[in-house]
Amino acid sequence: MLKLVRKFKKEKSGVTAIEYGLIAALIAVAIITAVGTIGSDLKAKFEEIATKLGGGAGTEAPPSDPG
Protein backbone atom coordinates (compact mmCIF):
# COMPACT_ATOMS: atom_id res chain seq x y z
CA MET A 1 0.00 0.00 0.00
CA LEU A 2 2.83 2.39 0.88
CA LYS A 3 4.46 1.61 -2.46
CA LEU A 4 1.25 2.59 -4.25
CA VAL A 5 1.06 5.92 -2.40
CA ARG A 6 4.69 6.73 -3.29
CA LYS A 7 4.07 5.87 -6.93
CA PHE A 8 0.97 8.07 -6.96
CA LYS A 9 2.95 11.00 -5.50
CA LYS A 10 5.60 10.69 -8.21
CA GLU A 11 3.03 10.59 -11.02
CA LYS A 12 2.58 14.18 -12.22
CA SER A 13 0.69 13.75 -15.50
CA GLY A 14 -2.72 13.43 -13.82
CA VAL A 15 -2.16 16.58 -11.80
CA THR A 16 -1.02 18.47 -14.89
CA ALA A 17 -4.09 17.37 -16.83
CA ILE A 18 -6.35 18.54 -14.01
CA GLU A 19 -4.56 21.91 -13.89
CA TYR A 20 -4.96 22.38 -17.64
CA GLY A 21 -8.61 21.42 -17.36
CA LEU A 22 -9.19 24.00 -14.64
CA ILE A 23 -7.40 26.69 -16.64
CA ALA A 24 -9.50 25.87 -19.71
CA ALA A 25 -12.68 26.01 -17.62
CA LEU A 26 -11.74 29.42 -16.18
CA ILE A 27 -10.98 30.77 -19.65
CA ALA A 28 -14.33 29.44 -20.91
CA VAL A 29 -16.19 31.13 -18.05
CA ALA A 30 -14.40 34.41 -18.78
CA ILE A 31 -15.27 34.21 -22.48
CA ILE A 32 -18.92 33.37 -21.79
CA THR A 33 -19.20 36.26 -19.33
CA ALA A 34 -17.57 38.71 -21.76
CA VAL A 35 -19.74 37.62 -24.68
CA GLY A 36 -22.88 37.85 -22.55
CA THR A 37 -22.01 41.35 -21.40
CA ILE A 38 -21.09 42.53 -24.88
CA GLY A 39 -24.28 40.99 -26.26
CA SER A 40 -26.43 42.80 -23.71
CA ASP A 41 -24.67 46.10 -24.43
CA LEU A 42 -25.10 45.65 -28.19
CA LYS A 43 -28.77 44.80 -27.81
CA ALA A 44 -29.34 47.93 -25.73
CA LYS A 45 -27.46 50.07 -28.26
CA PHE A 46 -29.44 48.69 -31.23
CA GLU A 47 -32.72 49.20 -29.35
CA GLU A 48 -31.69 52.80 -28.66
CA ILE A 49 -30.89 53.34 -32.34
CA ALA A 50 -34.19 51.75 -33.42
CA THR A 51 -36.11 53.99 -31.04
CA LYS A 52 -34.34 57.10 -32.35
CA LEU A 53 -35.14 56.07 -35.92
CA GLY A 54 -38.81 55.89 -35.07
CA GLY A 55 -39.38 52.18 -34.71
CA GLY A 56 -39.36 50.54 -31.33
CA ALA A 57 -37.56 47.32 -30.64
CA GLY A 58 -39.58 44.40 -31.92
CA THR A 59 -41.86 46.51 -34.11
CA GLU A 60 -42.25 45.84 -37.79
CA ALA A 61 -41.82 48.44 -40.50
CA PRO A 62 -45.05 49.93 -41.84
CA PRO A 63 -46.28 48.47 -45.12
CA SER A 64 -44.95 50.25 -48.19
CA ASP A 65 -47.31 52.28 -50.37
CA PRO A 66 -47.44 50.57 -53.78
CA GLY A 67 -48.74 53.54 -55.65
Side-chain angles (χ1 to χ4, degrees), residues 8-9 14 18-19 27 30 32-33 36 38 40 48 50 54 60 62:
F8 184 73
K9 279 186 175 183
I18 291 171
E19 289 172 349
I27 291 171
I32 290 168
T33 302
I38 291 170
S40 297
E48 177 186 343
E60 295 183 23

Side-chain angles (χ1 to χ4, degrees), residues 3-12:
K3 203 184 274 189
L4 181 63
V5 171
R6 285 184 188 153
K7 183 179 176 185
F8 184 73
K9 279 186 175 183
K10 288 182 183 179
E11 185 64 41
K12 303 271 184 190

Side-chain angles (χ1 to χ4, degrees), residues 8-62:
F8 184 73
K9 279 186 175 183
K10 288 182 183 179
E11 185 64 41
K12 303 271 184 190
S13 63
V15 174
T16 303
I18 291 171
E19 289 172 349
Y20 283 131
L22 289 173
I23 290 169
L26 288 173
I27 291 171
V29 167
I31 290 171
I32 290 168
T33 302
V35 168
T37 302
I38 291 170
S40 297
D41 292 346
L42 275 176
K43 181 179 178 190
K45 183 56 80 176
F46 280 118
E47 287 175 351
E48 177 186 343
I49 291 169
T51 302
K52 287 182 180 180
L53 290 174
T59 62
E60 295 183 23

